[in-house]
Amino acid sequence: PLADHEPLTGLPRRTAFEQRLTLEAARAQRHERPFTVALLGLVELPRLIDQQGAARGHAVVRSVAALLRRALRQTDSVACLEPGLFALLLPETRLGSAGPRLERLCHELRVATQGGGGPAAGVEVRLGLAGCPEDGREPASLLELAERRQEHPA
């Protein structure tokens, strides 16, 4: 249903993502397979909106959502948890291999955000990761850990 999707990006909202995460955790447990949860935040989005307006901020969020859709595998999931905060679910992916892949993706976003006039100019990207089984198996705990790591990088 449309209510399950964030209207600006067309991506699933938090509730739909959490349902998908719960299903993936059960599948991973049953088949003893890994997965990674990632949160990707646009740190300076509120400042950008204050300085350049809501239309500019919306363009940034739509641009990042489109880049994430293109960059992920068909089996991966992406959602918009709130404006400027995206969640990624990477089935069959260990934390150790997800980290470098997602850092490259963040680098692409950072390049798009710097000066070159791209729609996301001036927005810092921050990443937080949690993996199953490395960090546990409970979906809510993994999402919470990824969020903490995104908000307070090491």
Side-chain angles (χ1 to χ4, degrees):
L2 228 37
D4 289 341
H5 288 73
E6 196 277 326
L8 183 62
T9 63
L11 293 174
R13 295 180 192 256
R14 181 182 288 270
T15 302
F17 182 80
E18 288 173 347
Q19 290 170 348
R20 174 76 179 94
L21 176 58
T22 298
L23 290 172
E24 180 58 30
R27 188 195 67 78
Q29 176 85 19
R30 186 171 51 255
H31 300 291
E32 297 182 17
R33 304 301 302 162
F35 68 89
T36 297
V37 177
L39 287 186
L40 192 144
L42 307 179
V43 178
E44 298 294 322
L45 186 63
R47 179 193 52 78
L48 180 78
I49 291 171
D50 287 346
Q51 293 177 353
Q52 298 183 27
R56 176 84 165 131
H58 292 168
V60 167
V61 171
R62 280 193 300 270
S63 173
V64 169
L67 193 149
L68 290 173
R69 270 194 213 97
R70 285 191 310 271
L72 296 177
R73 302 170 301 184
Q74 190 173 2
T75 56
D76 298 337
S77 299
V78 60
C80 186
L81 303 189
E82 60 188 58
L85 182 62
F86 298 90
L88 312 173
L89 176 59
L90 311 174
E92 300 290 331
T93 307
R94 290 206 173 276
L95 187 58
S97 62
R101 180 172 157 225
L102 291 173
E103 283 298 336
R104 283 192 302 276
L105 178 59
C106 285
H107 176 73
E108 288 179 40
L109 288 169
R110 286 182 189 107
V111 168
T113 69
Q114 295 171 359
V123 178
E124 178 190 340
V125 178
R126 195 174 293 156
L127 179 66
L129 302 173
C132 172
E134 299 91 340
D135 292 315
R137 296 188 180 278
E138 182 61 38
S141 299
L142 290 167
L143 188 57
E144 183 180 302
L145 179 59
E147 196 160 8
R148 277 198 317 270
R149 289 175 173 168
Q150 186 268 326
E151 291 172 352
H152 308 286

